[in-house]
Amino acid sequence: MLIDTAQELAGLPRSGAGPRAVVMTMGALHEGHATLIRTAREQAGPDGQVVVTVFVNPLQFGANEDLDRYPRTLDADLRLARDASADAVFAPAVDEVYPGGAPQVRISAGPMGERLEGATRPGHFDGMLTVVAKLLHLTRPDLALFGQKDAQQLALIRRMVTDLNFPVEVVGVPTVREEDGLALSSRNRYLSAQERRTALALSRALFAGQDRLAAQAALLARAEAAPASDERATALARLGEIRASADAHAVSAACAAGTDLPEGVRAAARHVLEEAGRHEPPLVLDYLALVDPQDFTEVGPDFTGQAVLAVAAKVGTTRLIDNIPLEFGAHT
């Protein structure tokens, strides 16, 4: 069912006794969105209702960004939403969402909204939160589902919902990737074949950081359980036990490095990105950050808990973002 006015949306009856779940999009739907919608259906259950919003929000685009270029594929979006079991699609015009023109009162994203994506795109998160707040009021959901690919967006929405007492549960859904590892995005369609090969460095860098964390954590756990001294490693080398000596050196180094795992993660990811900067076409890095998801500040050497390793870069004229969650302290 297609709905294009707030009045129609207000009159949309609940389809059953279950919750209403909303999935907010800017259209150009792909398999990542389909996963969000299917997850919303699972969360809402057979007696619930799933509403998808399709709205290209002008407040989220800066003066030099691609508002006019942003793909608009409503017919295909409706088919995908229907096939993924959505009950209704709310696709309003700009003057329906902002009937008095650009709103004079807006949601401020605060300090977290000025970091990373916010530093690169000033005002972006204020515009995003403003439209999310409006759409939450208009759709009146019990659940709102957002992709973890936009990790900073998800964190800010959770903060807004908590700080402003919105009566909704925010659900994060893991990033959906293509077979080659590239995170699904409506902007992937802009990449040429050569640009796409370069763009794969984003996900490779993230997974290199993840692998480095696992390896460092394992060595640190062994060092804590049975420290290996440099003297033992040297003695093993004299006996010709080269592999055992190298392993003992590694364990000893892990013990000396202590708990400074975050810098090793950053270094591993940075190496992949620097290499991609020499490709043709090159990857032009915007940022690589390892942050606390509570406020998106960089984590320190003694950090424990969940962090987000995030990257943003341009390949050609296309800007891409990606991230993965990492757990620090799991070895203890």
Side-chain angles (χ1 to χ4, degrees):
M1 176 191 301
L2 174 62
I3 297 170
D4 56 17
T5 70
Q7 184 176 2
E8 285 181 281
L9 184 62
L12 179 67
R14 299 270 177 166
S15 58
R20 174 181 285 179
V22 67
V23 174
M24 298 183 189
T25 81
M26 291 209 301
L29 304 188
H30 49 64
E31 181 57 29
H33 297 107
T35 298
L36 282 168
I37 298 167
R38 287 193 292 266
T39 304
R41 170 53 63 200
E42 292 170 5
Q43 296 268 329
D47 295 326
Q49 188 175 60
V50 176
V51 176
V52 176
T53 69
V54 174
F55 180 65
V56 182
N57 178 30
L59 300 189
Q60 290 175 233
F61 290 80
N64 299 316
E65 293 186 322
D66 52 358
L67 174 60
D68 293 335
R69 187 184 175 207
Y70 197 88
R72 291 158 172 83
T73 57
L74 183 57
D75 289 342
D77 294 346
L78 291 171
R79 289 193 295 272
L80 184 146
R82 179 197 62 214
D83 293 345
S85 301
D87 295 297
V89 174
F90 178 49
V94 173
D95 59 3
E96 185 69 28
V97 178
Y98 304 121
Q104 296 184 41
V105 177
R106 306 186 187 196
I107 301 289
S108 169
M112 192 187 346
E114 297 171 358
R115 299 174 185 132
L116 301 186
E117 286 298 293
T120 300
R121 308 173 67 188
H124 166 73
F125 286 126
D126 292 355
M128 179 275 294
L129 290 178
T130 298
V131 80
V132 168
K134 289 196 65 132
L135 290 172
L136 287 174
H137 287 311
L138 290 169
T139 57
R140 297 171 289 117
D142 303 290
L143 307 169
L145 291 87
F146 297 91
Q148 291 177 0
K149 174 179 166 289
D150 296 295
Q152 194 171 2
Q153 170 180 283
L154 175 59
L156 282 162
I157 291 169
R158 282 182 165 144
R159 186 82 250 179
M160 178 184 73
V161 164
T162 298
D163 288 352
L164 301 184
N165 298 101
F166 279 80
V168 63
E169 179 185 350
V170 176
V171 179
V173 179
T175 300
V176 178
R177 299 184 178 279
E178 302 193 39
E179 288 186 6
D180 56 11
L182 191 66
L184 280 172
S185 168
S186 57
R187 290 188 169 133
N188 291 355
R189 68 185 70 193
Y190 300 146
L191 297 169
S192 68
Q194 283 185 305
E195 289 171 341
R196 185 185 177 92
R197 283 194 290 273
T198 297
L200 293 177
L202 272 74
S203 57
R204 285 204 305 268
L206 297 177
F207 292 124
Q210 183 181 61
D211 290 345
R212 176 67 65 86
L213 174 61
Q216 285 186 302
L219 283 172
L220 185 57
R222 289 177 58 197
E224 291 172 346
S229 68
D230 286 333
E231 290 80 3
R232 178 173 178 271
T234 302
L236 285 166
R238 289 197 189 101
L239 293 171
E241 299 289 344
I242 302 303
R243 292 183 64 182
S245 174
D247 180 69
H249 269 303
V251 174
S252 182
C255 189
T259 58
D260 191 7
L261 303 182
E263 187 49 38
V265 170
R266 293 185 184 98
R270 195 180 301 118
H271 175 75
V272 175
L273 296 168
E274 288 173 351
E275 187 177 273
R278 296 187 286 271
H279 290 179
E280 185 54 48
L283 181 143
V284 180
L285 183 65
D286 185 347
Y287 62 76
L288 171 70
L290 183 61
V291 297
D292 184 334
Q294 297 303 311
D295 58 10
F296 268 67
T297 57
E298 289 280 350
V299 304
D302 298 324
F303 180 83
T304 58
Q306 188 172 93
V308 173
L309 181 61
V311 63
K314 265 192 172 183
V315 182
T317 60
T318 304
R319 186 174 184 276
L320 300 169
I321 63 172
D322 200 353
N323 73 86
I324 56 170
L326 297 176
E327 188 73 27
F328 287 82
H331 67 283
T332 57

